[in-house]
Each structure stands twice: as structure tokens, then as C-alpha cells.
Amino acid sequence: DITPHNVFINENMKVMVGDLGATHIASHGTMMDHIAIGKLAYIAPEVLTGEDFNHTADIFSLGIVFWEMLTLERLFYHPNEQETISRIMHKNYPLPSSKNSALGKDFDKVIGRALSFKASGRYQSAKEMYQAVENIVKKKSGLSLDLFRMEMQIDGLEDTFS
């Protein structure tokens, strides 16, 4: 599961994601049987509706985490689980730049693609999303994300995100 609780930064400033449950559960039962408290707000629409899903469900979750990092607010969470589900299924959310004007429209486009309601509209890999973010950082600052050693290390699922 990609949630804030599963994103780690090690002593070398390397960002790592642990416990990619959606991809694993796809071949071991239904996701709804395994959703932990607090994780519902990070679940892709196709998972919530019981449809077939793939690794792009994790891209959707990553988009939520990224939105929350950029705005310092929760995107879909509500104490009432049905309201959380309704917010995800509504297909409408505020753009990050409406919450943080320093971001500009480029981050809106990245988040919008990651949070596409249809899986086919999302980035097809974390690497592709990373490159889009890196292009924005380069454009705005002239720096590469590699300078910050922010590489994504996916334990045992490198092929899923390549």
C-alpha cells in the first residue's frame, strides 16, 4: 500500500516505499478484504468497485500521497468511511495549486494524471511519474532530483515500476 505510513527516507535521503499491497493482493484475493483502518483514503476507484486492477492502482495512491505532501492537507480522508469512498468516486478534487499557489500548474498536471479516474489515463510506471516531476524541478530550478539522491527503491517489485 502506498500511504504516508509506508514512505520512508533513509539516512542517505533515499526515498523508499514499503508494503506494496495492492499489487500483491491482485493475485491473492480481494483488496477490500485487506484494507486497514486509515488506508481507505489511498485506494484507487477500480479497487473500491471490485474491478480488475493492476500496478496503476499504486500510481493513484502515489498521486494522493504527493498531493498531500504538496498541500499539507488530506485529500479524500473523512472519519466516515462511506464519505471517504464517495470523495474518491466523485472524480473531483481541488488542484494542488489552489491550496499552494507556489506550485504552479505543472504540478497540477502531474497530480491530475496520477489521479486519473481511469487506470489507462495514469502514468504507467513510477519511473514515468518521477521523470515528469524531475522535469518540473529542472525547469523551475535547473537542478536534477538526482542531486538530492531521491531514488525510488521498490523492494522486490522493480519490474512493476520500470
Side-chain angles (χ1 to χ4, degrees):
D1 308 321
I2 297 183
T3 67
H5 300 96
N6 292 335
V7 177
F8 305 95
I9 301 173
N10 72 11
E11 66 277 358
N12 295 319
M13 297 304 292
K14 181 178 265 187
V15 176
M16 296 180 286
V17 178
D19 186 24
L20 294 177
T23 304
H24 176 74
I25 290 169
S27 61
H28 296 89
T30 66
M31 179 61 122
M32 293 307 289
D33 294 336
H34 300 282
I35 294 176
I37 295 171
K39 307 246 181 181
L40 185 61
Y42 299 92
I43 304 298
E46 64 272 21
V47 177
L48 292 173
T49 59
E51 297 172 40
D52 289 337
F53 61 93
N54 60 24
H55 64 279
T56 61
D58 285 327
I59 299 296
F60 186 87
S61 301
L62 182 60
I64 297 168
V65 171
F66 195 43
W67 188 98
E68 292 179 350
M69 286 173 43
L70 294 173
T71 65
L72 302 177
E73 294 182 17
R74 300 289 303 269
L75 181 54
F76 295 124
Y77 174 79
H78 189 275
N80 179 292
E81 289 183 354
Q82 289 304 313
E83 180 60 27
T84 297
I85 292 170
S86 176
R87 289 176 179 194
I88 293 169
M89 301 306 290
H90 190 260
K91 306 179 195 177
N92 195 5
Y93 57 88
L95 298 172
S97 65
S98 73
K99 302 287 183 176
N100 181 348
S101 61
L103 295 174
K105 300 296 181 196
D106 289 334
F107 283 108
D108 290 345
K109 291 177 188 172
V110 170
I111 298 292
R113 184 167 173 196
L115 294 179
S116 173
F117 193 78
K118 293 188 177 209
S120 61
R122 296 181 200 137
Y123 294 100
Q124 295 303 299
S125 71
K127 182 177 183 180
E128 184 183 7
M129 185 174 171
Y130 174 89
Q131 289 170 335
V133 172
E134 184 172 49
N135 288 338
I136 295 169
V137 171
K138 282 181 182 178
K139 184 171 123 178
K140 291 185 178 289
S141 68
L143 299 175
S144 168
L145 291 180
D146 290 335
L147 291 175
F148 302 108
R149 300 180 59 143
M150 293 179 66
E151 300 171 4
M152 200 170 211
Q153 179 181 5
I154 309 299
D155 221 8
L157 293 173
E158 290 85 2
D159 292 338
T160 302
F161 289 95
S162 301

